[in-house]
Amino acid sequence: MTSRKKRPPPASREKRGVASLEAAGPWLARQSIEEIECLVPDLAGVARGKIMPVRKFLGAPSMNLPLAVFYQTITGDFPEVLGAVAAVQSDTDIFMNPDFATLAVVPWAQDPTAQVIHDAFHPDGRPVEEAPRQVLRRVLDLYQDKGWTPVIAPELEFYLVDKNTDPDYPLRPPIGRSGRPETGRQGYSIAAVNEFDALFEDMYEYSEAQGLEIDTLIHESGVAQMEINLRHGDPLELADQVFMFKRTIREAALEHDIYATFMAKPMAGEPGSAMHIHQSILDADGRPLFSDRKTGEATRSYLSFIAGQQRYLPAIMAVLAPYVNSYRRIARGTGAPVNTQWGYDNRTCGLRVPPSDPANRRLENRIPSSDANPYLATAAVLAAGWLGMTQNLTPTEPVATDAAALGIELPRNLLEALVLFEQSDALRDVLGGGFCSAYAAVKRAEYETFMQTISPWEREFLLLNV
């Protein structure tokens, strides 16, 4: 692992976000910013957009992009959109307006640069239903209509790997400061994290510059597998932070000549990477909805929230596990949950109730993989919980034993997950029909692309044996 030449710190470092365009001008001037990265997260969570000089941005902060940006597959192709949107409409312009609360520096840029996340709107002012930030906002509005305020805390796992320029070769763990790669699993090892101290110092520096609130960093059980926990807060704010953090750690890793990957299952024989989402709800008075005010016991709303996630987990799997690779993680014996069961401090369950006092009662959904779009994964789990509460659902009994022994209760592949996703009218109503149609079309197109690739397994076992 190589060290980079340190850039001088900016003259002033200010908190991320301003209130308006009028406040953005002085903020950018104080930071000596020269360029703005105007970003919008697509369905995959990839940053799309434009880069423009500050003067142009301040004169016209909105930008135009084709609606097709939300129909692009991870391979850069576009699916057959008929049935989701008209072919002509898919190439018409939509308008991207900056959310100035997300304005932040780009600390790894060579020249003074800022970034701001945009929201997508049609020319008549309607929010673009396919845009991931809008999907999450749509779900949060449903909670707001009830006087409820969701709070989440994501835990994000990822691998550090040696540079891999030929996809035909398996990934390998990188060389740390000792000059040797990890050869055994080093879960929670401080020394194993220290192997990449220089990289993580940059990660923390970059995160602080952008206002990303990292709570903890640990070494997970896989070889060179790490996990960061973000502090709990507003779901949209935390989804923004995950989106920005993924860019941050990738950039920090590249500066040290290695990769950071959020593939759900990057290496055979190693654990997969998850994005666990802790969830709680506040009532109209700002008090925990999941705990009785007098007794501190779990409320009916909490149990129904759990029941909603149990019922709708199979239907939202296409969002929580969005790629063919994601389902390599969801398998027995991998350490990942494979079920819709819930239990108290039981990590073999897909839904875990962590130990807490009544004020911090929450539910941890352990199913999402780290490759999931943070906006869509958050929207999906909160949508399932909202449906559970509004439908007054009842959960099964909690599981205190190994839930994996109860069998696999989730879809085993992307096509199976998409069928369940498309058949759920309740989810379509909550997440939006336009988004659901677009998402299914993109995912089916990605699956067809995958099917054009012949794997080493097929060559090894079928070439001369069948």
Side-chain angles (χ1 to χ4, degrees), residues 133-154:
R133 279 186 117 228
Q134 170 57 21
V135 176
L136 179 52
R137 278 204 174 99
R138 180 186 178 106
V139 174
L140 296 179
D141 286 346
L142 294 174
Y143 277 87
Q144 187 177 29
D145 291 343
K146 295 286 188 181
W148 299 334
T149 303
V151 177
I152 71 161

Side-chain angles (χ1 to χ4, degrees), residues 309-462:
Q309 302 217 358
Q310 281 194 293
R311 174 171 294 185
Y312 291 100
L313 260 177
I316 61 175
M317 271 296 289
V319 176
L320 306 185
Y323 303 102
V324 288
N325 177 262
S326 311
Y327 296 84
R328 299 187 186 279
R329 170 180 166 261
I330 305 297
R332 294 179 71 169
T334 63
V338 295
N339 55 72
T340 63
Q341 302 297 323
W342 72 285
Y344 295 99
D345 198 19
N346 187 344
R347 286 183 168 84
T348 68
C349 293
L351 303 167
R352 170 178 171 257
V353 177
S356 73
D357 57 27
N360 294 295
R361 179 172 278 114
R362 60 195 186 276
L363 180 68
E364 177 191 14
N365 193 315
R366 298 176 56 78
I367 298 299
S369 50
S370 61
D371 56 4
N373 181 316
Y375 302 98
L376 300 181
T378 301
V381 296
L382 290 177
W386 185 85
L387 286 168
M389 290 191 290
T390 56
Q391 294 174 358
N392 199 29
L393 300 181
T394 300
T396 61
E397 290 298 315
V399 174
T401 56
D402 183 0
L406 300 176
I408 298 177
E409 301 170 329
L410 298 170
R412 298 304 310 276
N413 59 65
L414 183 58
L415 283 187
E416 185 181 338
L418 283 171
V419 169
L420 298 176
F421 176 73
E422 292 176 293
Q423 288 177 344
S424 178
D425 292 334
L427 278 177
R428 192 174 186 86
D429 289 342
V430 174
L431 298 178
F435 159 71
C436 291
S437 296
Y439 190 81
V442 166
K443 291 300 154 186
R444 289 187 182 280
E446 289 175 351
Y447 183 83
E448 292 303 323
T449 303
F450 168 76
M451 289 300 291
Q452 296 172 16
T453 301
I454 308 303
S455 70
W457 185 94
E458 292 165 274
R459 289 190 291 271
E460 180 174 355
F461 295 104
L462 304 182

Side-chain angles (χ1 to χ4, degrees), residues 1-5 7 108 110 158-165 174 196 198-200 202-203 206 245-262:
M1 186 175 70
T2 60
S3 296
R4 67 177 175 89
K5 182 179 180 180
R7 300 184 186 89
W108 53 83
Q110 294 295 328
F158 60 95
Y159 275 88
L160 300 177
V161 298
D162 207 6
K163 272 193 169 181
N164 179 283
T165 57
F196 304 98
L199 187 161
F200 291 127
D202 287 345
M203 179 194 77
Y206 291 168
F245 175 78
K246 282 187 171 184
R247 296 186 74 211
T248 299
I249 188 60
R250 286 195 194 102
E251 290 291 339
L254 283 173
E255 291 194 345
H256 293 271
D257 210 33
I258 62 177
Y259 291 162
T261 180
F262 294 89

Side-chain angles (χ1 to χ4, degrees), residues 11-318:
S12 62
R13 182 168 286 167
E14 301 185 32
K15 183 179 179 181
R16 173 165 54 100
V18 295
S20 63
L21 175 62
E22 292 71 26
W27 187 96
L28 293 166
R30 290 193 297 271
Q31 302 278 83
S32 302
I33 299 298
E34 299 174 1
E35 291 184 329
I36 301 283
E37 293 182 351
C38 301
L39 312 175
V40 61
D42 71 359
L43 291 186
V46 173
R48 308 286 180 185
K50 299 179 180 180
I51 301 173
M52 62 180 68
V54 165
R55 181 179 299 178
K56 178 177 174 61
F57 174 80
L58 292 176
S62 294
M63 64 174 176
N64 294 8
L65 288 175
L67 178 63
V69 74
F70 296 116
Y71 285 84
Q72 192 168 6
T73 69
I74 199 66
T75 62
D77 299 317
F78 295 90
E80 176 60 58
V81 297
L82 292 179
V85 66
V88 173
Q89 182 186 357
S90 71
D91 206 32
T92 57
D93 271 357
I94 53 177
F95 297 92
M96 303 294 177
N97 295 335
D99 180 348
F100 287 103
T102 68
L103 182 64
V105 299
V106 181
W108 53 83
Q110 294 295 328
D111 298 317
T113 304
Q115 60 188 317
V116 62
I117 301 174
H118 286 56
D119 287 309
F121 296 89
H122 290 287
D124 61 6
R126 290 178 297 116
V128 172
E129 197 173 6
E130 297 91 335
R133 279 186 117 228
Q134 170 57 21
V135 176
L136 179 52
R137 278 204 174 99
R138 180 186 178 106
V139 174
L140 296 179
D141 286 346
L142 294 174
Y143 277 87
Q144 187 177 29
D145 291 343
K146 295 286 188 181
W148 299 334
T149 303
V151 177
I152 71 161
E155 299 174 349
L156 193 62
E157 297 171 349
F158 60 95
Y159 275 88
L160 300 177
V161 298
D162 207 6
K163 272 193 169 181
N164 179 283
T165 57
D166 188 337
D168 282 337
Y169 287 90
L171 298 175
R172 300 180 302 178
I175 304 296
R177 65 177 185 175
S178 67
R180 301 177 64 186
E182 286 184 32
T183 54
R185 295 183 180 176
Q186 301 290 333
Y188 302 101
S189 168
I190 299 298
V193 173
N194 292 157
E195 283 285 293
F196 304 98
D197 268 351
L199 187 161
F200 291 127
E201 285 174 8
D202 287 345
M203 179 194 77
Y204 276 113
E205 178 185 321
Y206 291 168
S207 296
E208 182 181 358
Q210 298 171 90
L212 308 183
E213 298 187 65
I214 295 177
D215 192 19
T216 57
L217 166 69
I218 65 170
H219 193 296
E220 260 294 344
S221 56
V223 173
Q225 184 188 31
M226 310 293 170
E227 176 185 293
I228 64 107
N229 299 338
L230 295 171
R231 293 178 183 172
H232 65 273
D234 173 75
L236 183 60
E237 163 75 11
L238 267 298
D240 284 338
Q241 290 200 38
V242 172
F243 170 70
M244 296 170 72
F245 175 78
K246 282 187 171 184
R247 296 186 74 211
T248 299
I249 188 60
R250 286 195 194 102
E251 290 291 339
L254 283 173
E255 291 194 345
H256 293 271
D257 210 33
I258 62 177
Y259 291 162
T261 180
F262 294 89
M263 280 181 65
K265 187 76 169 180
M267 289 190 279
E270 295 294 334
S273 290
M275 180 173 61
H276 303 152
I277 302 177
H278 292 250
Q279 309 150 82
S280 60
I281 312 292
L282 302 179
D283 64 17
D285 297 324
R287 297 183 179 182
L289 184 69
F290 289 165
S291 296
D292 186 272
R293 293 188 183 185
K294 294 181 179 179
T295 66
E297 297 298 317
T299 60
R300 176 67 199 181
S301 294
Y302 182 52
L303 296 177
S304 292
F305 187 85
I306 294 172
Q309 302 217 358
Q310 281 194 293
R311 174 171 294 185
Y312 291 100
L313 260 177
I316 61 175
M317 271 296 289

